[in-house]
């Protein structure tokens, strides 16, 4: 006799369709058949429409004892079983029944009946079917637990995404305020420049350009939706615009041209990168164009796992001996420091009268994309 707790009608309907043994569910005190599984139809050799709606007892050749058990299960709400006595003639269609009450919130609504055909298989089949029933119920429990865990996981993912969004918004807000403060510093330096003699202005102008390069970085961070990388092409164009405004003015015959692939650089390295570009551009403006006319081209592209940055001008160039010590002679000591800080290498190529080319190779910082962190694009 089964010892498991009564199961619900919804669980019973699922079990009917998958149980290997004939099963039926009856309703009410008259035990009217409401559901049957395919195995029961095969046993009776009848279609479902010929069985459903009839009293279960009408299907039995000698129903008296079975009806008594059905009544007892219905009124007591406790499972039971019934077996046809041995030696019954003629042999019955089925010899054993196992019965479980279908419990609603307040009472017994019906009974689920499992039929066993052969007495010799009675014990073994009962144990097997009970194991299948319990296994099916356990599967329901596991499915419900999996659904619950999935709901918790989804909630955690949403919470983590919200925290990422909050952190990004905070970073953008802080960057915006830093940019505004740097612009104020730049305006204060500009006011000082207007009050001092021309021969002393160079240092102020150079400092103002450096502050402008950093300000452009924070401007990009405040506008970025990625939060963890800076687009190199936009960054270089903003630095070029800043140098044009601070170093050249509207009447200058010198222009900056930017040609950059869609690369990114992480914020930790963006400041020395921007200052390095600013120094190279400033050096070109100071030394390459004594006539005040020319072009400085800034190129950034990817080569394997490195970024190649070239700054080339079409100015007067340098004699080879001077080019060999160019960083010191052209005011590029800062550039050499920034290149080392970025883990890169630098080469200067210049011939007198044909311009100067500075080529710098930097490692691309390729980072993985763990959960909770946005990816850093490098292409």
């Amino acid at each position: 006799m089964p010892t498991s707790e009564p199961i619900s009608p919804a669980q019973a309907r699922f079990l009917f369709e998958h149980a290997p043994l004939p099963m039926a569910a009856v309703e009410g005190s008259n035990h009217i058949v409401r559901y049957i599984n395919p195995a029961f139809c095969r046993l009776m050799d009848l279609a479902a429409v010929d069985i459903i709606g009839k009293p279960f007892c009408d299907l039995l050749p000698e129903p008296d004892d079975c009806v008594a058990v059905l009544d007892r299960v219905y009124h007591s709400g406790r499972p039971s079983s019934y077996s046809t006595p041995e030696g019954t003639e003629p042999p019955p269609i089925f010899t054993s029944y196992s019965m479980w009450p279908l419990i609603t919130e307040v009472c017994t609504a019906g009974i689920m009946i499992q039929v066993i055909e052969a007495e010799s298989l009675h014990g073994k089949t009962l144990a097997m079917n009970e194991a299948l029933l319990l296994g099916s119920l356990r599967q329901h429990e596991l499915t419900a637990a999996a659904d619950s865990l999935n709901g918790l996981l989804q909630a955690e993912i949403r919470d983590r995404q919200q925290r990422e969004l909050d952190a990004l918004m905070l970073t953008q807000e802080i960057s915006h305020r830093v940019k505004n403060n740097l612009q104020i510093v730049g305006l204060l330096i500009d006011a000082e420049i207007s009050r001092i003699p021309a021969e002393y202005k160079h240092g102020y102008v150079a400092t103002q350009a450096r502050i402008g390069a950093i300000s452009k970085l924070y401007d990009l961070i405040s506008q970025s939706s990625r939060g963890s990388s800076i687009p190199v092409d936009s960054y270089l164009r903003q630095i070029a615009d800043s140098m044009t405004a601070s170093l050249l003015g509207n009447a200058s015959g010198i222009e900056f041209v930017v040609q950059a692939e869609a690369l990114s650089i992480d914020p930790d390295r963006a400041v020395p990168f921007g200052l390095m570009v600013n120094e190279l551009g400033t050096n070109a403006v100071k030394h390459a164009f004594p006539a005040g006319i020319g072009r400085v081209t800034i190129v950034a592209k990817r080569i394997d796992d490195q970024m190649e940055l070239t700054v080339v001008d079409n100015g007067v160039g340098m004699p080879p001996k001077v080019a060999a010590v160019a960083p010191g002679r052209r005011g590029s000591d800062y550039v050499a420091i920034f290149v080392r800080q970025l883990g890169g290498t630098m080469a200067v190529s210049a011939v007198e009268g044909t311009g100067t080319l500075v080529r710098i190779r930097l490692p691309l910082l390729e980072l993985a994309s763990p959960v909770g962190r946005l990816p850093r694009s490098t292409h």
Side-chain angles (χ1 to χ4, degrees):
M1 180 183 299
T3 58
S4 59
E5 296 181 0
I7 61 176
S8 69
Q11 291 172 318
R13 294 182 64 178
F14 172 81
L15 296 174
F16 287 156
E17 296 300 321
H18 298 83
L21 296 178
M23 300 187 74
V26 299
E27 182 180 59
S29 60
N30 293 324
H31 315 304
I32 303 301
V33 177
R34 293 302 181 200
Y35 305 103
I36 55 175
N37 70 345
F40 193 91
C41 292
R42 290 192 297 270
L43 172 66
M44 301 300 298
D45 196 22
L46 293 171
V49 295
D50 297 325
I51 301 174
I52 293 175
K54 295 182 178 180
F56 183 78
C57 297
D58 290 353
L59 304 175
L60 307 176
E62 296 180 359
D64 293 343
D65 292 337
C66 181
V67 170
V69 178
L70 283 170
D71 289 338
R72 185 169 64 251
V73 173
Y74 181 79
H75 292 293
S76 69
R78 292 192 296 270
S80 186
S81 62
Y82 170 79
S83 297
T84 301
E86 295 183 7
T88 301
E89 294 293 340
I93 298 175
F94 27 79
T95 60
S96 298
Y97 314 87
S98 293
M99 306 172 189
W100 293 269
L102 300 177
I103 306 297
T104 64
E105 294 182 358
V106 295
C107 64
T108 302
I111 301 171
M112 183 173 68
I113 304 170
Q114 172 194 291
V115 178
I116 299 175
E117 301 177 59
E119 179 66 24
S120 60
L121 299 177
H122 179 89
K124 183 183 296 185
T125 305
L126 278 177
M128 179 186 71
N129 196 57
E130 183 173 357
L132 288 172
L133 289 174
L134 294 176
S136 297
L137 292 174
R138 180 58 177 164
Q139 182 64 38
H140 276 291
E141 295 173 357
L142 293 175
T143 301
D147 290 341
S148 176
L149 290 175
N150 184 61
L152 293 174
L153 178 60
Q154 293 298 324
E156 182 178 347
I157 291 174
R158 289 192 295 270
D159 180 65
R160 185 171 298 180
Q161 289 173 337
Q162 184 60 48
R163 291 200 302 270
E164 290 176 359
L165 180 60
D166 293 342
L168 176 59
M169 294 178 64
L170 179 61
T171 299
Q172 291 173 336
E173 176 64 21
I174 293 174
S175 299
H176 180 72
R177 295 186 181 185
V178 171
K179 178 204 72 172
N180 290 342
N181 291 337
L182 289 173
Q183 288 178 337
I184 292 173
V185 173
L187 291 174
L188 293 174
I189 294 176
D190 193 53
E192 290 297 321
I193 292 174
S194 65
R195 292 198 294 265
I196 61 176
E199 61 268 26
Y200 301 120
K201 290 183 178 181
H202 169 69
Y204 285 92
V205 171
T207 300
Q208 187 181 44
R210 292 165 186 147
I211 293 174
I214 301 175
S215 175
K216 294 301 180 183
L217 165 64
Y218 283 101
D219 189 27
L220 280 177
I221 294 176
S222 69
Q223 299 175 26
S224 174
S225 61
R226 286 177 287 182
S228 61
S229 62
I230 305 300
V232 171
D233 52 349
S234 299
Y235 191 23
L236 291 177
R237 288 186 177 89
Q238 292 205 20
I239 293 174
D241 291 342
S242 178
M243 288 190 292
T244 298
S246 62
L247 299 176
L248 302 179
N250 297 329
S252 175
I254 302 173
E255 65 172 338
F256 284 94
V257 177
V258 175
Q259 300 171 357
E261 295 180 357
L263 302 172
S264 295
I265 188 169
D266 51 287
D268 292 340
R269 301 194 304 160
V271 170
F273 178 82
L275 291 174
M276 177 183 67
V277 173
N278 180 82
E279 292 297 324
L280 291 170
T282 301
N283 290 342
V285 170
K286 287 171 52 181
H287 300 287
F289 311 112
I293 299 175
R295 178 186 296 111
V296 180
T297 302
I298 304 171
V299 180
K301 60 183 179 180
R302 178 172 185 161
I303 298 180
D304 297 328
D305 61 346
Q306 292 186 317
M307 180 198 307
E308 181 180 87
L309 174 74
T310 58
V311 179
V312 57
D313 63 65
N314 61 349
V316 297
M318 295 181 294
K321 291 183 179 180
V322 176
V325 291
R329 291 295 301 272
R330 304 207 88 192
S332 298
D333 289 336
Y334 286 141
V335 174
I337 293 173
F338 295 141
V339 170
R340 288 195 299 271
Q341 184 176 352
L342 293 166
T345 59
M346 179 175 65
V348 179
S349 175
V351 177
E352 190 171 3
T354 61
T356 301
L357 183 148
V358 179
R359 178 178 287 106
I360 297 171
R361 290 281 184 91
L362 308 173
L364 280 171
L365 186 58
E366 304 237 10
L367 296 183
S369 304
V371 174
R373 189 168 188 175
L374 298 176
R376 298 188 180 187
S377 172
T378 55
H379 55 80

